[in-house]
Amino acid sequence: MQAAPVRATAIPSFTDALRAVESLLMSSGQRTARRNAWTSVLEDRRRAKDRVEAERVLEAAVASRTS
């Protein structure tokens, strides 16, 4: 019984595969625009999370002053 051959190259990750397909389908300007848009989405989510946390802190401060 023979052992299975060992692969010399690493199997690309799913993200790497998506980026390869993306580079075939989109021009570099479109890729940049998509990445910038995604970065903006992530930044908006971070700001929203920070805003919710600030509201909780303020509500806790008001509650502690009234009790």
Side-chain angles (χ1 to χ4, degrees):
M1 182 169 171
Q2 289 183 338
V6 177
R7 294 178 73 97
T9 58
I11 298 172
S13 70
F14 184 70
T15 303
D16 292 337
L18 283 178
R19 285 198 176 129
V21 169
E22 174 190 66
S23 68
L24 292 172
L25 298 176
M26 292 186 194
S27 70
S28 64
Q30 288 174 320
R31 281 195 306 275
T32 301
R34 186 194 57 79
R35 287 193 182 125
N36 288 345
W38 183 244
T39 300
S40 293
V41 167
L42 295 177
E43 184 64 19
D44 288 345
R45 288 179 181 175
R46 186 194 61 77
R47 272 191 239 116
K49 183 179 173 185
D50 290 346
R51 190 168 41 252
V52 167
E53 182 61 26
E55 288 175 7
R56 286 183 186 146
V57 169
L58 289 173
E59 288 171 1
V62 168
S64 68
R65 292 182 122 204
T66 58
S67 41

